[in-house]
Amino acid sequence: MTLADAHVVALSVEVAAVRFRVPDGDFAVLAGVTDSGEEVVLTGALAHVHEGESVEVAGTWQRHPRHGPQLAVARVRLLEAVSDAALLGHLGSIRHIGARGAAWLLEHHGPQRVLDEMDRDPGRALRAVPGIGPARIAAAVASWHEQATQRAVRLFLDTHGVPAAAAGRIARALGPDAVQTLRADPYAITQLDGIGFATADALAQALGTPPDAPGRLDAGLRHALTQAEQDGHCHLPRPELLARARRLLDADAEDRLDALGARGALVIEEDRVADPILHAIELRLARSARELATSAPALDLRDPQRPTNGAFVPTDDQWSIVQAVLDHRLAVLTGGPGTGKSSAMRALVDLLRSRKRTVRLCAPTGKAARRLGELTGAQATTIHRLLEYMPGEGFARGPDDPITATDVLIVDEASMLSVQLADALLGAVGPRTHVLLVGDVDQLAPVGPGRVLEDLIDSGAVPTVRLTEIFRQAARSLIVRAAHAINHGAPPPTAPAEGDVRDFFVIERDGADAIFAETVALASERLPAHYGLDPRAELLVLAPMHRGPAGIDALNTELRRRLNPDGAAIAGTPLRVGDAVLQSKNNHERQLMNGERGVLVHHDPEHDRVTLACDDGRRIALDVGELSTLRLAHACSVHKAQGSQAPAVVVVVHRGHSLMLTRNLLYTAVTRAERVCVVVGERAALAHALAHRDAHARHTRLAELVAV
């Protein structure tokens, strides 16, 4: 964002009050007065700004539904604290000083000398403050140095064009030596979460770094490889990496690629280039999978008998996966909806329990784990909870402390496993545990790098059972029949035969406006009324893309207007009580994983706490500062919905989303529905999706490594 942008506003503001500040974070809401005398509210990465200070800001106007117009700040520059109010705000923010101590410092040293005295010897200046006490001096001095460093770094970054939100993260991460670090290597910030190459490159150019500087070329190569990882690749062919880097850098980086490989900063094997960490993870995962697949079975049930009567009698294929699990320490079960994967798992669980053997079940998400438990009658948990994830420390379970007292471990929704999560899981399997991976390889590939389930099947080294027969009861569902038709590239059936369950519909609408209107009406009124559903908690609207007139963002705005018009605003956030929300990043401390959904049901403004009612039945108390990773979820992407299901699903199919419209995406969207699925869109867009499989081939080596 630059001041040349048409919608960017630049203002000089004296801060009158800090209305809200996220503890230990960047976000704040400030009230102030411009140099022309107008009152203004500022929001953004402003937590380092205090009452009484003056700032120059640049940003865009936004209208809060309850609090009116606010300037969302993208750039901020602190001006020298000259007024008494500014000095009091600055001094009063020092730990243990407060308003009284700040007033004493200002009166004792005077406004012209107080900051110089603090900088010259903060320990001496602070020890003289009445009531501070010797036990508090060290923390107060550290607080002063921390603030001084933060402000110096923020000034340096702002001077060189770094946006405010990025500047806050950089200042906190690099600490007191940040300016020296950035002058020596501005590309060091690309290693920080949320800081991209473009930000670092702009800073480097402002500092005079030449376009062909080795540091710039090295950072561009690493960034191109990181972007490839985000696209799902575990490595890139050398020519593809160089082509990506050339587009990014507008320079040839081949010599630097060889230099990075020579010093081990990248791994170059034949024509492949990989990040050393991801390369090691893939090798370790392959070793774990191969050892499990080739080791002798540790489970002996002595002639297990296949049930021949009762509520459920397994088919030959279903029983074959039970036998495969008993005969091998690693096996895979795959198949589409209605083919009996859950029943096969239930047969395995029942057999093991009848022989007094222990079985544990897990899945990548909380919702999938709860469904797994309901379907099998056994307790299930998330993979992270199974591995006893500790925030800031990682998984407690691993090769040195594996999962014990488990004869069989069943992992559902295994198509969602990235190489990192699969490595952690298989690396924590005990020496006598058998593992069954269950998933649908025709769904979307996992969000992280790799295609673990598909690669294990393709390796030929892991016993695999693919269920293809659709059970008679499931075949009555048009959702099930539509999913299988879509998977084969055929138009989904919508006309029910006698005895069918009419739970799948296609509503043709031409143009984004008509699709948008129909989707909103279905999700907010018609489907909830007809099926007796809570539209915020029991209905999913799925679309391929966020932007556009029929995209996720526009749908979320309108659906919230209809479904939650009077929700109380949660200060300091764009959210309201009553909003349907989705977690966008793993919060391990709260066991709230990326992609999990819920409804904000309560806000306690006095304690800055909210209550989230999750779709898996949990109620979680969150600090307001933790809401920054929650997004509106009246509508969401198909990728975010993978692993979840809902009673009702509305799928948007619009030709404006053709870049993302594939058979895999549509298949995954339809199979999220439990009771009813409605596809809304253009006939041509639906045909486009059916004709295009996900053509994004992932560069992985797991299949060949396991097959060795």
Side-chain angles (χ1 to χ4, degrees):
M1 181 179 293
T2 67
L3 297 184
D5 293 339
H7 302 293
V8 175
V9 176
L11 298 173
S12 294
V13 178
E14 182 178 342
V15 178
V18 178
R19 290 185 176 176
F20 174 80
R21 180 185 283 123
V22 174
D24 300 320
D26 286 329
F27 185 84
V29 180
L30 312 178
V33 179
T34 68
D35 53 7
S36 61
E38 295 182 40
E39 295 183 358
V40 64
V41 175
L42 309 176
T43 66
L46 300 164
H48 63 298
V49 181
H50 304 291
E51 182 177 321
E53 294 189 304
S54 295
V55 291
E56 291 179 351
V57 295
T60 54
W61 287 111
Q62 296 181 354
R63 177 168 289 278
H64 191 280
R66 179 155 298 193
H67 302 297
Q70 300 176 336
L71 189 72
V73 174
R75 294 279 303 279
V76 57
R77 174 176 295 181
L78 278 168
L79 302 179
E80 189 67 30
V82 291
S83 71
D84 286 0
L87 290 168
L88 287 171
H90 187 27
L91 295 168
S93 65
I94 304 171
R95 194 171 301 130
H96 302 314
I97 295 301
R100 288 186 179 181
W104 186 92
L105 284 167
L106 186 64
E107 182 179 355
H108 185 73
H109 296 290
Q112 287 76 34
R113 295 177 51 246
V114 64
L115 295 182
D116 289 338
E117 290 295 325
M118 289 292 298
D119 285 334
R120 184 176 297 112
D121 190 343
R124 177 181 177 185
L126 292 171
R127 271 191 293 272
V129 177
I132 189 171
R136 295 180 172 183
I137 286 296
V141 171
S143 176
W144 171 259
H145 285 311
E146 180 182 346
Q147 285 194 32
T149 298
Q150 283 273 334
R151 295 164 83 86
V153 176
R154 295 293 293 254
L155 179 61
F156 172 78
L157 293 171
D158 181 76
T159 301
H160 294 92
V162 176
R169 290 195 294 274
I170 294 167
R172 284 201 315 277
L174 297 186
D177 297 326
V179 173
Q180 294 92 322
T181 299
L182 293 170
R183 287 190 182 279
D185 180 13
Y187 295 99
I189 59 176
T190 58
Q191 305 303 310
L192 304 180
D193 185 33
I195 307 296
F197 177 81
T199 298
D201 203 36
L203 174 61
Q205 291 184 39
L207 292 171
T209 303
D212 59 350
R216 179 173 187 266
L217 301 182
D218 291 354
L221 285 164
R222 286 194 295 264
H223 180 70
L225 206 53
T226 299
Q227 285 187 313
E229 181 180 329
Q230 293 170 357
D231 292 339
H233 301 296
C234 295
H235 66 267
L236 281 182
R238 181 186 180 102
E240 184 174 341
L241 173 58
L242 289 172
R244 287 186 178 218
R246 189 175 297 109
R247 289 193 296 270
L248 180 70
L249 299 163
D250 194 26
D252 185 2
E254 186 162 12
D255 290 343
R256 295 308 307 167
L257 176 57
D258 292 326
L260 289 171
R263 70 170 190 256
L266 296 178
V267 176
I268 303 176
E269 292 183 349
E270 298 177 349
D271 198 36
R272 297 164 169 165
V273 186
D275 173 81
I277 294 176
L278 193 57
H279 176 78
I281 289 172
E282 196 174 25
L283 285 174
R284 191 167 57 235
L285 171 59
R287 185 167 57 250
S288 297
R290 191 169 60 250
E291 288 176 358
L292 282 170
T294 57
S295 62
L299 189 61
D300 183 7
L301 296 192
R302 299 184 183 278
D303 191 26
Q305 296 298 308
R306 171 181 170 181
T308 57
N309 53 50
F312 172 66
V313 177
T315 65
D316 291 346
D317 285 343
Q318 287 176 319
W319 190 249
S320 69
I321 191 59
V322 174
Q323 196 63 55
V325 172
L326 301 181
D327 294 342
H328 304 274
R329 291 193 59 215
L330 180 62
V332 169
L333 173 62
T334 187
T339 57
K341 296 192 300 296
S342 299
S343 297
M345 284 190 283
R346 180 64 185 258
L348 175 61
V349 169
D350 289 346
L351 173 65
L352 293 167
R353 284 179 158 181
S354 71
R355 300 297 184 90
K356 309 298 183 185
R357 300 306 177 98
T358 56
V359 57
R360 300 182 74 172
L361 301 94
C362 64
T365 67
K367 184 68 178 290
R370 189 178 73 160
R371 283 189 61 251
L372 178 61
E374 292 170 350
L375 292 169
T376 61
Q379 186 176 1
T381 184
T382 63
I383 294 173
H384 282 78
R385 183 166 292 181
L386 174 74
L387 300 182
E388 300 176 19
Y389 185 87
M390 301 290 289
E393 298 180 20
F395 295 110
R397 296 292 186 178
D400 297 330
D401 188 11
I403 303 164
T404 56
T406 303
D407 292 308
V408 174
L409 175 64
I410 299 175
V411 185
D412 198 14
E413 297 287 356
S415 63
M416 297 178 65
L417 293 175
S418 66
V419 291
Q420 293 99 326
L421 188 55
D423 169 55
L425 180 63
L426 294 191
V429 171
R432 299 187 60 80
T433 299
H434 289 221
V435 180
L436 172 62
L437 302 177
V438 183
D440 185 348
V441 292
D442 293 316
Q443 290 187 20
L444 289 169
V447 173
R451 47 169 208 161
V452 173
L453 187 65
E454 194 171 354
D455 277 347
L456 291 177
I457 295 172
D458 290 347
S459 73
V462 180
T464 300
V465 174
R466 183 185 291 269
L467 301 178
T468 57
E469 179 185 353
I470 304 175
F471 278 74
R472 183 178 303 173
Q473 182 74 13
R476 294 178 57 231
S477 166
L478 287 184
I479 291 176
V480 172
R481 299 224 304 272
H484 284 274
I486 290 167
N487 199 32
H488 290 91
T494 56
E498 185 177 351
D500 282 350
V501 179
R502 193 179 187 195
D503 52 9
F504 178 81
F505 304 85
V506 175
I507 299 178
E508 291 186 16
R509 292 291 183 267
D510 288 327
D513 291 344
I515 294 171
F516 180 87
E518 183 70 21
T519 299
V520 169
L522 282 166
S524 62
E525 301 168 9
R526 287 154 51 194
L527 288 177
H530 185 78
Y531 291 92
L533 303 173
D534 179 347
R536 296 174 302 172
E538 298 180 294
L539 190 146
L540 272 173
V541 175
L542 303 178
M545 299 177 71
H546 279 267
R547 296 184 178 179
I552 295 165
D553 295 340
L555 288 165
N556 262 324
T557 299
E558 180 61 18
L559 285 170
R560 179 164 74 170
R561 189 185 72 81
R562 296 199 185 195
L563 297 174
N564 190 29
D566 301 318
I570 301 173
T573 81
L575 300 172
R576 310 177 193 169
V577 175
D579 279 344
V581 293
L582 177 145
Q583 179 72 1
S584 64
K585 186 178 181 180
N586 288 342
N587 182 340
H588 298 289
E589 186 174 351
R590 306 293 188 189
Q591 288 294 313
L592 190 60
M593 299 296 111
N594 186 1
E596 294 195 77
R597 300 174 68 244
V599 177
L600 297 171
V601 294
H602 179 68
H603 174 219
D604 178 0
E606 184 177 346
H607 298 95
D608 281 332
R609 302 276 284 179
V610 298
T611 302
L612 175 68
C614 299
D615 62 358
D616 62 1
R618 293 175 297 154
R619 286 188 170 238
I620 301 175
L622 299 170
D623 295 328
V624 167
E626 294 177 285
L627 302 188
S628 61
T629 56
L630 290 178
R631 304 286 181 266
L632 276 180
H634 299 284
C636 68
S637 70
V638 181
H639 286 83
K640 286 293 187 184
Q642 194 168 1
S644 297
Q645 286 193 301
V649 171
V650 181
V651 185
V652 175
V653 181
H654 172 43
R655 62 179 179 269
H657 301 156
S658 59
L659 186 66
M660 297 286 292
L661 277 178
T662 65
R663 196 184 305 173
N664 312 71
L665 182 134
L666 186 58
Y667 173 81
T668 303
V670 169
T671 53
R672 301 308 91 205
E674 296 172 330
R675 290 176 58 187
V676 60
C677 178
V678 184
V679 175
V680 181
E682 297 139 332
R683 182 191 297 266
L686 180 58
H688 176 90
L690 296 174
H692 292 80
R693 283 194 64 82
D694 186 357
H696 178 60
R698 295 191 169 197
H699 296 295
T700 69
R701 297 187 306 149
L702 185 61
E704 62 187 73
L705 290 171
V706 174
V708 172

